[in-house]
Amino acid sequence: MSLSVSAVDDLPSDAAQRPLVRAAGLVKEFRRVKRVSGRLGGLRTLFSRDYDVIRAVNDVSFDIHSGELVGYLGPNGAGKSTTIKMLTGILTPTAGAVSVADRDPSRERKANALNIGVVFGQRSQLWWDLPLRESFRAVRDLYGVPTMEGDRRQHELVKLLDMDEFLDAPVRQLSLGQRMRGDIAAAMLYQPRLLYLDEPTVGLDVVAKQRIREFIAHVNAERGTTVVLTTHDLEDVEQLCRRIVLIDHGRVLYDGALTELMARYAPYRDLVVTLASPADVAVNGAEQIGRDGPVVTLRFRSDRVKAPEIIGAVTAAHEVVDLSVAEPRLEAVIGRIYTQRGLPESPA
Amino acid sequence: MAELTKPPSAMRQYAILLRVGLASAMQYRADFVMTAVGAICYEAVSLAFVGVIVYAFGSIGGWSLVEVAFVYGIRSMGHALHGILSGQLWTADGVVRRGEFDRYLLRPVNPLIQLLARRFQVTAVGDIVFGAVVLAVTAVAAPISWSLASVVFLIAAVIGSALVESAVMLAIASLTFRLLASSPILSVADTVFVTFGPYPLSVLPRTVAHLLTFVLPLAYAAFFPAAVLLDRTTELFVPTWLAFASPVVGLLLYAAAVLFFHRQMRHYSSPGH
Ligand SMILES: Nc1ncnc2c1ncn2[C@@H]1O[C@H](COP(=O)(O)OP(=O)(O)OP(=O)(O)O)[C@@H](O)[C@H]1O
Ligand SMILES: [Mg+2]
């Protein structure tokens, strides 16, 4: 008796530990037919068996647990959207396996559809000619959301995303930011456990971006919705993601905490001082990395020396008018990784 | 809470999507009316053309004007039903190339149903009205003594006619997933259906008649059932039972085409973005 009780007790915790999303050795190859040139080139291309193989995703593995908010990052063409399409079941992997809530998305598409919400910033999923309100109704009906429940959720979403004004406008007349909010709301109407957002802030102004970030943070914190976010706006990442998965050329370069990435690859601070009279500054433990008239930028390893020590050394040697300490920007770190097309060997 | 959410049946979802598709089409009201009127004119012209040919020759291969018109009537109504069911197949290559198909794969609805109900086919409204009138008139004029059994067979034949045409077009549209283009091939098949559809195929050279029976199965779409109803099965170039089975052939072909579509769907490679 006590045995069976403990067995039952074990189940939920076991289920909780099992990842919501598991990608194991994912590979996706696209075939691109080689163009045949010359006489009747177009026609011969049509029947050509000659093609290039593009490996857009090359052995990608990761686990995502319920409640996480993960940034999936990488330069253009890295394979982010292709991965997301395999996770959502749009594409079938060439090799490897995906499971979402213990289901294979491309095989159990219908069952999986209820678990996931998907927004592609570049491509709307709403009905172009219908008023937003009608699109919402269609989504609710197709998913079979009970009327009362649907009304409640829609009301809440309209309030959260401030959509009252344009609810009756046809989608084709909406601005990009309005359409994006509509798309996000449509993906949340049936309360999926998992939300994939592929560039949800692309092309939006600062205020619109901020509203969407707040919404993402809200659904993750309040409803426990797991979020996988792809974006080129690192502000999104800094504000939202604790964990990032960084890929390039279809391979995972980094998978871990954002703070860890920064500590590992940018363990420095910049001290910017404005001197009374222009001069080069040389102090122990810091390196001058820039000078613009009287404004000098010094970089020091924050894990080796303390800011006050450097400040002390500078003020002892020069008359300082103004100073500030700057944290390294994620942008700088990611930028270096992208240009080197790999992780830096050592910190800067 | 999420447990309460359960998608309705496929039929119900089809109805929901038709409602949405009709609402989308109604957004362009002028277009709606004009297209419907245009479709009726187009059909009237093609009927007049058949009339002129038969009138000029007196008869085609021993088939009188009213008999040919009856073949035309079946095809006309079959084509109209086909338009309602499958009109959106013409947009399949755009849907696949632009990646609209992505969203069909994300919803808890069969993707083929979403494609077929993508937008309400406005021309089909005109075609249906026209087809019903032509079928009723030609059926009354034809030398047939109607019974309950023959009326039931006629209805089955018209549905079968729609399914045969839809099956061919669906099979071709399925190639889109690999070729990314299917409308040129759809045009060819459509031309064959429109050109040869309303004629007694027994007048054609045997090879052509066989091609239109076993390769592009046009014969089941009007000629065979009309021959059965007009009691002209003796001049058929296939066993009589096959002509009787035309509606079943339509059903089987359509089922095969649906399977084929789902197989080809695996080759969908969503455009990058
Ligand atoms: N349908 C396709 N056919 C052929 N190649 C494709 C297809 N879709 C994507 N690719 C290729 O796969 C690679 C990865 O594309 P993907 O869209 O996943 O990149 P991404 O990381 O999302 O880039 P971005 O940040 O620019 O959106 C690219 O080289 C792209 O050209
Ligand atoms: Mg992308």
Side-chain angles (χ1 to χ4, degrees), chain A residues 75-82 85 120 122 198-199 230 232, chain B residues 272-273:
Chain A
N76 290 131
K80 304 180 295 295
S81 297
T82 305
K85 284 173 187 169
F120 289 113
Q122 313 269 17
D198 191 348
E199 302 195 41
T230 285
H232 290 295
Chain B
H273 64 132

Side-chain angles (χ1 to χ4, degrees), chain A residues 81 85 123 125 129 141 149, chain B residues 28 102 107 119 270 273:
Chain A
S81 297
K85 284 173 187 169
R123 202 182 281 159
Q125 299 186 57
D129 291 317
D141 289 351
E149 184 66 16
Chain B
Y28 307 92
D102 279 9
R107 293 198 175 125
R119 176 160 295 175
S270 159
H273 64 132

Side-chain angles (χ1 to χ4, degrees), chain B residues 6-194:
Chain B
K6 189 176 176 299
S9 70
M11 266 324 267
R12 174 102 188 84
Q13 288 178 325
Y14 184 54
I16 293 164
L17 288 168
L18 282 184
R19 181 194 82 206
V20 170
L22 185 63
S24 295
M26 290 303 278
Q27 287 279 321
Y28 307 92
R29 229 161 287 217
D31 189 44
F32 190 90
V33 173
M34 268 160 50
T35 326
V37 170
I40 292 180
C41 294
Y42 178 81
E43 288 291 334
V45 168
S46 74
L47 176 63
F49 186 65
V50 175
V52 166
I53 289 190
V54 181
Y55 184 75
F57 292 96
S59 67
I60 298 181
W63 288 54
S64 68
L65 175 59
V66 277
E67 287 175 314
V68 177
F70 181 57
V71 182
Y72 182 84
I74 294 180
R75 191 70 274 280
S76 215
M77 190 61 197
H79 181 72
L81 291 178
H82 155 78
I84 291 263
L85 177 65
S86 306
Q88 289 303 307
L89 291 178
W90 289 96
T91 65
D93 51 6
V95 165
V96 165
R97 258 185 288 180
R98 273 181 281 112
E100 186 179 320
F101 204 75
D102 279 9
R103 83 170 192 227
Y104 298 176
L105 294 170
L106 292 175
R107 293 198 175 125
V109 185
N110 180 292
L112 177 59
I113 291 182
Q114 295 182 72
L115 174 64
L116 294 181
R118 182 174 173 270
R119 176 160 295 175
F120 191 80
Q121 192 64 15
V122 180
T123 52
V125 179
D127 285 355
I128 287 278
V129 174
F130 180 82
V133 170
V134 173
L135 181 61
V137 170
T138 57
V140 170
I144 300 168
S145 55
W146 291 101
S147 66
L148 180 64
S150 54
V151 170
V152 169
F153 182 79
L154 176 66
I155 293 171
V158 165
I159 295 172
S161 176
L163 289 177
V164 167
E165 189 175 5
S166 287
V168 170
M169 300 305 246
L170 179 56
I172 294 171
S174 305
L175 300 176
T176 310
F177 295 115
R178 281 170 184 253
L179 300 183
L180 293 182
S182 60
S183 43
I185 320 177
L186 284 176
S187 289
V188 172
D190 185 62
T191 306
V192 174
F193 266 86
V194 170

